[in-house]
Amino acid sequence: MSKRVAGPEIERLIQLLAKVPGLGPRSARRAALHMIKKKDQLMVPLAGAMAEAVDKVRVCSTCGNVDTIDPCTICTDPRRDSTILIVVEDVSDLWALERAGTMNVRYHVLGGTLSPLDGIGPDQLNIKQLVARAAEGDVAEVILAVNATVEGQTTAHYLTDQLEGFEIKVTRLAHGVPVGGELDYLDEGTLAAALRSRTAF
């Protein structure tokens, strides 16, 4: 059993940081120590920014993105092409595609993928809102930018069936995205090439 080397407040900080993706217990200890050493320059502003985020961050009622306004900045931007809708699994995928900067369009965040084994069906995802957006008549093309996993492809097939009654072109990312890969971990060049080479689903 390891000995406690710091007070409960510091231990709690380490435990919470360890829950952040990409940080394990050792990385969390290093991050906590760095923040404590830079308390005035880093920890105090970070605590303020986090408190403000808790109060102001909202989920966009239109697309599912996170922002401080609802509808979000992307949905309210008049310069974006509203006839093309890119469907992604998660907000991190939306951000990855935005970093690529290839298309100035609108998005729809599903909030995950269909996974019956995990109890995730259509009702647990943001699919009804997608169909409602398609029914409005503004959308001419839906790009299914889901991960190249079994769950992602299952979700893509389900969405294709749901959108079949509308006069909408349904496309998917080109196979430049590796099988089993996740959008958030791909480089901008691969994402840009995949979007340019999209094919009918």
Side-chain angles (χ1 to χ4, degrees):
M1 187 172 167
S2 61
K3 295 179 184 177
R4 179 178 284 183
V5 295
E9 297 83 3
I10 296 173
E11 290 293 335
R12 183 166 181 263
L13 175 63
I14 294 167
Q15 289 170 1
L16 289 171
L17 285 171
K19 293 182 180 181
V20 175
L23 288 182
R26 292 177 70 182
S27 298
R29 279 194 292 277
R30 284 194 294 272
L33 187 58
H34 180 72
M35 287 192 295
I36 291 166
K37 287 179 180 177
K38 306 260 183 195
K39 185 177 176 183
D40 292 332
Q41 301 96 329
L42 184 60
M43 189 178 248
V44 172
L46 180 62
M50 291 179 83
E52 193 174 5
V54 167
D55 289 337
K56 294 187 177 179
V57 170
R58 305 279 179 266
V59 174
C60 178
S61 58
T62 303
C63 73
N65 187 21
V66 292
D67 204 337
T68 54
I69 58 172
D70 181 18
C72 72
T73 304
I74 291 175
C75 287
T76 55
D77 186 350
R79 297 166 298 176
R80 289 185 177 264
D81 184 353
S82 61
T83 65
I84 299 177
L85 201 60
I86 298 181
V87 178
V88 294
E89 292 178 20
D90 196 41
V91 174
S92 62
D93 300 329
L94 186 159
W95 289 0
L97 289 168
E98 278 294 290
R99 281 195 312 270
T102 307
M103 301 181 78
N104 197 30
V105 297
R106 305 245 166 117
Y107 294 89
H108 190 83
V109 181
L110 294 172
T113 54
L114 295 172
S115 180
L117 293 175
D118 297 321
I120 301 172
D123 293 338
Q124 283 73 47
L125 301 177
N126 197 12
I127 294 175
K128 286 181 184 173
Q129 181 67 17
L130 173 62
V131 174
R133 290 177 80 182
E136 289 171 4
D138 295 335
V139 179
E141 180 182 2
V142 171
I143 303 171
L144 300 176
V146 293
N147 292 320
T149 60
V150 172
E151 294 82 6
Q153 296 310 301
T154 301
T155 304
H157 285 290
Y158 181 82
L159 294 176
T160 302
D161 291 342
Q162 293 299 302
L163 297 170
E164 194 174 344
F166 306 101
E167 291 184 10
I168 295 174
K169 180 181 178 184
V170 179
T171 58
R172 65 177 179 183
L173 294 184
H175 288 288
V177 176
V179 174
E182 295 184 14
L183 295 180
D184 192 35
Y185 296 102
L186 297 179
D187 65 285
E188 288 81 1
T190 301
L191 284 170
L195 278 171
R196 283 194 300 270
S197 305
R198 63 188 184 274
T199 56
F201 194 79

